[in-house]
Amino acid sequence: MGFTVAIIGRPNVGKSTLFNRLIGEKKAIVDDFSGVTRDRIYGECEWGGKTFNVIDTGGFVPHSKDVFEKHIREQVLIAIEEASLLLFLVDATTGITNLDDDFARLLRKHQKNVFLVVNKVDNHTRMNEANEFYSLGLENIFFIASMTGSGTGELLDAVVEKIKEDNNEEPIEKDVPKICIIGQPNVGKSSLVNALLGEDRNIVTDIAGTTRDSLHSRYSKYGKNLILIDTAGIRSKAKVHENLEFYSVIRAIKALDESDIAVIVIDATKGITHQDLAIYKMAIKKHRGIVIAVNKWDLITKETNTARDYEATLRSKLAPFSDVPIIFISVHDKQRIFRIIELVEKVYENLRRKIPTSKLNEVMLEVIEHYHPPAMDGKLVKIKYVTQLPTPTPAFAFFANHPKYIRESYRNYLENKLRDTFDFNGVPINIFFREK
C-alpha cells in the first residue's frame, strides 16, 4: 500500500471533516473557525478492498498577511511532489474565491492526478450553483457533502480506480528483508545509510520496479542480504522551513508501506519528540518491525548509568508497546552502526515467526486458567482455543463464548504473556477475539 491521497484547499472548506469521513474516525479537530488544523494528520482509508493513506494538510497560520504565498502554497507544492492523488476541496456555499483560482492555476501547471471536490453540496440549489466550479478547468469534479457523507462513495470509487492504474510497478524482491531508515530531518538518516554501504560500490545495485519516491540500495556484506530504503535528502527543493515535518511524514508513510522493518533514527541531543512518536505509531499501525537507533550518542556527556537511564525514559514514552530494540550509535564515529543490521535480522525473524497451534494452546490456556477474563455485565467469559492467523505479521485469534465482553486490559495481559513466552521483540502483535 503506497498510494497516498492529500486533501488540499484554502482554510475552512471542510478538509478535516472530509478527512474524518474517509478514515472513519474523528481524528482531526473540526471547527467553523478557520485555521484549526495546525498539526499535519495522517490516517488510512479502506474502500472496495483497497487501503490507501490519507493526509489532511491543514496548517493554516492566522494573522499572516499573505496566507497563500507563505503557508498554503508550501504545503501544496510538497503534496504535488509527494502525493499520488490530490483532492482539491472547495466550498459550494462561498463559490469560487481568488484563493481557489490560485490553487487551480498552480495545479494545472503540473502533470498530477487531481480531483476537484466541491463540498457542502447538500441540496438541489447548491448543486446548481456548484456548476460554476467547472470554470476552474480541472477535468475530474465531484460534488459531495462531507458532513453527511453524500457523494463520498462516488469519490472513493474514483480514488480506488486510480489506485488500480497506479499499481503497475514490478514488486521488489520477495523474501529479502526491506528496511526503511526513517525519522525527522537532520537526524543522520542518509549518513547512516552511506556508512552502512561503505565505499565498495559493488555492494549497491539499482533495483528495478522501485517507486520514484525512495532510494533503494542493496546491502550485501558479511553474509547479509538486505534492501535499504532511504527517505532523506532526495529533493532539496522540498526543504521548506515551515513544512519539513509535513514532508518527512509523507516520506515516512511511503517508506513504511514498502518495508518490513522500520529503523527509526532519533537525535540523542533532542530526545524522542512528538514527531518521532507519530512515526513510531505509524509503524505500529502498519504492523512493521521496529528498531530505535539513537544517533549522535558521541555528543552526550556520559556518566555511569547514562545509557540505562536514557533507555528507561525512552521506553516509558514508547509505552504500552515498548518491547523494541534500542541501540545507541554514532554515525559520525561509526560506533555500533553494524549492530543495527544484526538487530534488524532478529526482528525480521520475529516478524515471520509461526507458533505451532499445539504449543500455543499448551502455553496460553494455562495462562488463561491462571487468570480468567473478568466477568462483565454478569457474563462469565471462557476462552477455549487459540490459533495463530495466516497473516504476514503475527496475529492471534482467541475463541471465546462471549468475545465482546473481553476488556482491553485483558487483551494487554494476553499480549504480554505471548511476548514473555515467545520472542516477538520489536514486533507489533494483533489479537482478535472470536465467538465459538
Side-chain angles (χ1 to χ4, degrees):
M1 183 190 67
F3 199 88
T4 302
V5 173
I7 304 172
I8 62 173
R10 60 182 176 82
N12 210 27
V13 294
K15 296 189 297 296
S16 292
T17 304
L18 177 59
F19 173 83
N20 289 336
R21 173 69 57 180
L22 294 182
I23 68 169
E25 57 183 280
K26 197 168 185 178
K27 190 173 181 181
I29 300 172
V30 178
D31 201 304
D32 290 334
F33 182 76
S34 67
V36 169
T37 305
R38 306 290 176 82
D39 294 329
R40 288 74 177 184
I41 302 175
Y42 148 81
E44 291 181 358
C45 177
E46 184 175 351
W47 187 262
K50 296 287 185 179
T51 305
F52 57 92
N53 302 306
V54 185
I55 297 286
D56 179 13
T57 53
F60 171 69
V61 180
H63 313 302
S64 172
K65 294 180 181 179
D66 190 343
V67 177
F68 180 71
E69 289 295 328
K70 288 188 176 181
H71 301 287
I72 300 177
R73 184 184 179 90
E74 292 176 355
Q75 288 196 7
V76 173
L77 288 172
I78 294 173
I80 287 172
E81 290 296 322
E82 302 298 326
S84 312
L85 173 66
L86 304 173
L87 301 184
F88 171 30
L89 201 64
V90 293
D91 187 343
T93 64
T94 59
I96 298 174
T97 67
N98 291 336
L99 198 52
D100 293 327
D101 276 327
D102 288 336
F103 267 103
R105 192 176 303 113
L106 179 65
L107 292 171
R108 286 195 300 267
K109 292 179 181 178
H110 294 81
Q111 297 296 319
K112 196 74 180 184
N113 287 326
V114 180
F115 287 174
L116 175 61
V117 183
V118 186
N119 193 23
K120 306 179 186 178
V121 182
D122 50 13
N123 56 53
H124 291 296
T125 301
R126 286 186 179 174
M127 184 68 214
N128 291 331
E129 294 171 349
N131 287 321
E132 70 169 304
F133 285 96
Y134 281 106
S135 66
L136 291 177
L138 297 171
E139 291 182 8
N140 299 296
I141 184 166
F142 299 85
F143 302 95
I144 71 166
S146 57
M147 186 66 73
T148 64
S150 175
T152 54
E154 291 83 352
L155 174 62
L156 285 167
D157 287 341
V159 171
V160 169
E161 283 301 313
K162 287 295 182 183
I163 296 175
K164 293 176 181 177
E165 293 174 12
D166 192 69
N167 193 28
N168 293 323
E169 297 171 347
E170 296 178 13
I172 53 182
E173 294 178 56
K174 295 181 179 180
D175 302 322
V176 177
K178 291 167 280 294
I179 318 303
C180 67
I181 312 295
I182 59 177
Q184 292 196 75
N186 303 318
V187 295
K189 298 186 296 294
S190 288
S191 298
L192 174 59
V193 172
N194 290 338
L196 289 172
L197 294 176
E199 296 299 323
D200 184 2
R201 302 310 293 173
N202 291 329
I203 65 171
V204 182
T205 59
D206 293 329
I207 302 170
T210 58
T211 70
R212 63 188 180 280
D213 300 304
S214 302
L215 180 63
H216 295 63
S217 301
R218 168 83 65 186
Y219 179 92
S220 298
K221 281 186 172 183
Y222 313 116
K224 314 293 185 183
N225 186 22
L226 309 169
I227 293 172
L228 298 178
I229 304 172
D230 178 22
T231 60
I234 298 174
R235 288 193 178 93
S236 59
K237 62 184 176 182
K239 293 181 181 178
V240 185
H241 295 296
E242 291 291 328
N243 289 291
L244 273 173
E245 182 179 324
F246 181 45
Y247 168 72
S248 63
V249 166
I250 294 182
R251 279 295 172 87
I253 291 168
K254 290 188 172 186
L256 284 169
D257 286 335
E258 297 177 65
S259 65
D260 301 300
I261 311 289
V263 175
I264 303 175
V265 184
I266 68 173
D267 187 329
T269 63
K270 297 179 180 178
I272 192 163
T273 66
H274 172 76
Q275 183 61 18
D276 296 321
L277 288 172
I279 294 173
Y280 174 71
K281 290 174 183 176
M282 272 192 273
I284 293 173
K285 188 171 183 178
K286 290 178 179 292
H287 312 299
R288 299 308 188 249
I290 301 171
V291 173
I292 306 290
V294 184
N295 190 26
K296 306 183 185 180
W297 193 241
D298 55 304
L299 301 180
I300 298 296
T301 302
K302 300 169 187 67
E303 297 178 358
T304 304
N305 297 318
T306 300
R308 185 199 66 184
D309 295 343
Y310 195 108
E311 181 174 337
T313 301
L314 192 54
R315 290 195 186 279
S316 70
K317 294 182 178 180
L318 298 176
F321 173 47
S322 56
D323 183 20
V324 296
I326 297 173
I327 183 168
F328 299 92
I329 67 170
S330 168
V331 174
H332 181 269
D333 295 339
K334 293 185 172 54
Q335 291 179 351
R336 292 180 290 277
I337 59 171
F338 292 103
R339 171 70 176 147
I340 292 175
I341 301 300
E342 296 176 16
L343 292 176
V344 158
E345 285 200 319
K346 180 59 178 173
V347 171
Y348 185 75
E349 180 184 327
N350 297 345
L351 196 65
R352 295 291 184 265
R353 175 163 287 109
K354 303 298 181 185
I355 311 299
T357 302
S358 58
K359 180 66 174 177
L360 195 56
N361 280 273
E362 177 188 336
V363 171
M364 295 310 295
L365 290 182
E366 183 177 334
V367 164
I368 293 163
E369 184 65 28
H370 178 73
Y371 172 44
H372 290 284
M376 188 173 181
D377 294 339
K379 301 289 186 181
L380 185 62
V381 180
K382 292 185 178 180
I383 297 176
K384 304 175 181 178
Y385 181 74
V386 56
T387 186
Q388 185 170 0
L389 299 175
T391 54
T393 56
F396 300 88
F398 288 79
F399 292 86
N401 56 343
H402 299 297
K404 65 180 180 180
Y405 291 106
I406 299 176
R407 301 175 185 178
E408 183 65 20
S409 59
Y410 195 78
R411 181 208 171 280
N412 294 337
Y413 165 74
L414 292 176
E415 178 176 338
N416 290 335
K417 291 300 180 180
L418 282 167
R419 291 186 179 283
D420 289 344
T421 309
F422 309 105
D423 189 358
F424 289 112
N425 185 247
V427 178
I429 293 176
N430 264 357
I431 290 179
F432 303 93
F433 297 108
R434 296 177 176 173
E435 188 166 4
K436 181 175 178 63

PDB file of all heavy atoms in Angstrom, residues 22-23 85 149 157 321 357 380:
ATOM      1  N   LEU A  22     -13.316  10.008   5.591  1.00  0.00           N
ATOM      2  CA  LEU A  22     -12.589   8.990   4.827  1.00  0.00           C
ATOM      3  C   LEU A  22     -11.960   7.935   5.735  1.00  0.00           C
ATOM      4  O   LEU A  22     -11.966   6.750   5.407  1.00  0.00           O
ATOM      5  CB  LEU A  22     -11.510   9.639   3.958  1.00  0.00           C
ATOM      6  CG  LEU A  22     -12.004  10.553   2.826  1.00  0.00           C
ATOM      7  CD1 LEU A  22     -10.822  11.071   2.019  1.00  0.00           C
ATOM      8  CD2 LEU A  22     -12.994   9.844   1.920  1.00  0.00           C
ATOM      9  N   ILE A  23     -11.405   8.360   6.865  1.00  0.00           N
ATOM     10  CA  ILE A  23     -10.719   7.386   7.721  1.00  0.00           C
ATOM     11  C   ILE A  23     -11.677   6.725   8.702  1.00  0.00           C
ATOM     12  O   ILE A  23     -11.294   5.771   9.388  1.00  0.00           O
ATOM     13  CB  ILE A  23      -9.537   8.022   8.483  1.00  0.00           C
ATOM     14  CG1 ILE A  23     -10.018   9.023   9.539  1.00  0.00           C
ATOM     15  CG2 ILE A  23      -8.559   8.655   7.518  1.00  0.00           C
ATOM     16  CD1 ILE A  23      -8.920   9.471  10.480  1.00  0.00           C
ATOM     17  N   LEU A  85      -2.303  11.278  -5.318  1.00  0.00           N
ATOM     18  CA  LEU A  85      -3.540  11.904  -5.791  1.00  0.00           C
ATOM     19  C   LEU A  85      -3.879  13.062  -4.872  1.00  0.00           C
ATOM     20  O   LEU A  85      -3.744  12.962  -3.650  1.00  0.00           O
ATOM     21  CB  LEU A  85      -4.685  10.876  -5.781  1.00  0.00           C
ATOM     22  CG  LEU A  85      -6.096  11.382  -6.078  1.00  0.00           C
ATOM     23  CD1 LEU A  85      -6.211  11.872  -7.524  1.00  0.00           C
ATOM     24  CD2 LEU A  85      -7.125  10.290  -5.805  1.00  0.00           C
ATOM     25  N   GLY A 149     -21.816  12.732   4.312  1.00  0.00           N
ATOM     26  CA  GLY A 149     -21.294  11.617   3.532  1.00  0.00           C
ATOM     27  C   GLY A 149     -21.862  11.533   2.134  1.00  0.00           C
ATOM     28  O   GLY A 149     -21.460  10.670   1.344  1.00  0.00           O
ATOM     29  N   ASP A 157     -14.920   5.562  -5.026  1.00  0.00           N
ATOM     30  CA  ASP A 157     -14.842   4.643  -6.168  1.00  0.00           C
ATOM     31  C   ASP A 157     -13.804   5.122  -7.176  1.00  0.00           C
ATOM     32  O   ASP A 157     -13.019   4.324  -7.718  1.00  0.00           O
ATOM     33  CB  ASP A 157     -16.207   4.528  -6.855  1.00  0.00           C
ATOM     34  CG  ASP A 157     -17.213   3.715  -6.047  1.00  0.00           C
ATOM     35  OD1 ASP A 157     -16.783   2.961  -5.163  1.00  0.00           O
ATOM     36  OD2 ASP A 157     -18.427   3.851  -6.306  1.00  0.00           O
ATOM     37  N   PHE A 321       3.554  -0.295  24.005  1.00  0.00           N
ATOM     38  CA  PHE A 321       4.400  -1.225  23.253  1.00  0.00           C
ATOM     39  C   PHE A 321       5.837  -0.720  23.294  1.00  0.00           C
ATOM     40  O   PHE A 321       6.270   0.063  22.455  1.00  0.00           O
ATOM     41  CB  PHE A 321       3.907  -1.352  21.809  1.00  0.00           C
ATOM     42  CG  PHE A 321       4.838  -2.158  20.924  1.00  0.00           C
ATOM     43  CD1 PHE A 321       5.346  -3.362  21.354  1.00  0.00           C
ATOM     44  CD2 PHE A 321       5.188  -1.701  19.669  1.00  0.00           C
ATOM     45  CE1 PHE A 321       6.206  -4.104  20.556  1.00  0.00           C
ATOM     46  CE2 PHE A 321       6.037  -2.434  18.851  1.00  0.00           C
ATOM     47  CZ  PHE A 321       6.551  -3.632  19.294  1.00  0.00           C
ATOM     48  N   THR A 357       0.196 -24.614  16.665  1.00  0.00           N
ATOM     49  CA  THR A 357      -1.072 -24.474  17.394  1.00  0.00           C
ATOM     50  C   THR A 357      -1.061 -25.257  18.701  1.00  0.00           C
ATOM     51  O   THR A 357      -1.554 -24.782  19.729  1.00  0.00           O
ATOM     52  CB  THR A 357      -2.239 -24.945  16.503  1.00  0.00           C
ATOM     53  OG1 THR A 357      -2.244 -24.163  15.295  1.00  0.00           O
ATOM     54  CG2 THR A 357      -3.566 -24.759  17.215  1.00  0.00           C
ATOM     55  N   LEU A 380     -19.969 -14.545  32.255  1.00  0.00           N
ATOM     56  CA  LEU A 380     -18.731 -15.251  32.558  1.00  0.00           C
ATOM     57  C   LEU A 380     -18.067 -15.652  31.237  1.00  0.00           C
ATOM     58  O   LEU A 380     -18.620 -16.434  30.465  1.00  0.00           O
ATOM     59  CB  LEU A 380     -19.028 -16.492  33.397  1.00  0.00           C
ATOM     60  CG  LEU A 380     -17.800 -17.269  33.899  1.00  0.00           C
ATOM     61  CD1 LEU A 380     -16.947 -16.406  34.814  1.00  0.00           C
ATOM     62  CD2 LEU A 380     -18.237 -18.545  34.613  1.00  0.00           C
TER      63      LEU A 380
END
